[in-house]
Amino acid sequence: MKLNNTYAIALVVSGSILVGTTISSQAAPSDGSNLGECYNNWISHCNATTSGYPNSCYGESLDHCDGVHGASMTQIPGYKAKTMRTKALRKAKRTNARLVAPVVQPARSSN
């Protein structure tokens, strides 16, 4: 009887670890093996989870990739890193800009 309880506890613990791993892996994309892959993964994540560019998700995600792959960025010339960032942002889903009429204030007149 004790063996069955131990088996059940082990099954519950391993199942909860599996569920936790699955949920955490869906929460954020992979940082990739290189800077370009990281940029692409995070841009796709922002496209799927936000209303579109511009918003903070895109900039913060690319900054995150810069931090994760900082050591490899020292080997990439600055203009190439900037080009990679620009190319990744071209894949960003754009949001439609809304035109808002300005509020007209009444003219003041002095008496």
Side-chain angles (χ1 to χ4, degrees), residues 72-92:
S72 65
M73 285 182 65
T74 60
Q75 300 170 357
I76 301 171
Y79 73 92
K80 282 192 177 184
K82 187 173 181 177
T83 301
M84 290 171 67
R85 198 174 173 106
T86 303
K87 284 175 105 176
L89 280 174
R90 285 187 190 137
K91 296 175 185 172

Side-chain angles (χ1 to χ4, degrees), residues 9-43:
I9 291 170
L11 187 60
V12 168
V13 169
S14 64
S16 63
I17 291 171
L18 179 63
V19 169
T21 304
T22 303
I23 291 171
S24 67
S25 67
Q26 292 174 353
S30 164
D31 289 332
S33 60
N34 59 49
L35 184 63
E37 187 177 326
C38 185
Y39 282 166
N40 290 334
N41 291 345
W42 279 94
I43 291 293

Side-chain angles (χ1 to χ4, degrees), residues 47-96:
N47 284 342
T49 59
T50 64
S51 61
Y53 182 79
N55 72 44
S56 62
C57 180
Y58 295 94
E60 291 171 1
S61 297
L62 296 182
D63 291 343
H64 167 78
C65 289
D66 291 346
V68 169
H69 295 283
S72 65
M73 285 182 65
T74 60
Q75 300 170 357
I76 301 171
Y79 73 92
K80 282 192 177 184
K82 187 173 181 177
T83 301
M84 290 171 67
R85 198 174 173 106
T86 303
K87 284 175 105 176
L89 280 174
R90 285 187 190 137
K91 296 175 185 172
K93 177 180 72 174
R94 306 289 177 188
T95 185
N96 293 331

